[in-house]
Amino acid sequence: MFVLLAAGPLGFLFFCRLQRRRPSPLMAPSLLTNRGYTSGILVAVVFFASFTGLMLVLSLFLQGPLGLSPEGAGINAVQQLANAVGVALLVTVWSAFTEHGRPPSAALSGTALVTVALLAAALVLSTRLPRHARA
């Protein structure tokens, strides 16, 4: 697994070098010199990596201390998938009603909402844990 983590950035560098040599690259190499674009890519990578880790830990937590079956934990994952689809649809509708796409206030509002939801979930789950599983 750690080999793949190391191979990812190396593969990206190889991709960038290969694209610079092509007459019609898949992505304009000058795009990577734009600080806004590269910082957005970095934020997206961190977000999706942490979200994937969260889903793994949540699945193990639901099956371990809470004693759910794998099917019950899977139903929770389906709910999370439905939430992701709903957010994607909401972003599409939102950008259709705005002149220049999604304004920064929408991203900030979404991040704040996710933070509040995760804190509420942590609070609810911490009160439902068996005594032996509490920290």
Side-chain angles (χ1 to χ4, degrees), residues 40-54 87 110-111 114 118:
I41 292 273
L42 182 64
V43 167
V45 165
V46 169
F47 172 77
F48 287 113
S50 62
F51 189 74
T52 303
L54 172 71
V87 167
T111 303
V114 167
L118 287 174

Side-chain angles (χ1 to χ4, degrees), residues 32-120:
L32 295 175
T33 61
N34 182 342
R35 280 190 178 181
Y37 181 78
T38 53
S39 62
I41 292 273
L42 182 64
V43 167
V45 165
V46 169
F47 172 77
F48 287 113
S50 62
F51 189 74
T52 303
L54 172 71
M55 292 305 296
L56 173 66
V57 169
L58 181 64
S59 176
L60 293 174
F61 176 73
L62 290 173
Q63 292 179 46
L66 292 184
L68 287 179
S69 67
E71 292 85 12
I75 289 172
N76 185 9
V78 169
Q79 176 204 3
Q80 297 298 326
L81 177 64
N83 288 341
V85 170
V87 167
L89 291 174
L90 181 65
V91 165
T92 304
V93 170
W94 181 268
S95 62
F97 286 112
T98 59
E99 187 176 333
H100 300 290
R102 299 179 302 275
S105 61
L108 185 61
S109 302
T111 303
L113 184 63
V114 167
T115 303
V116 169
L118 287 174
L119 289 173

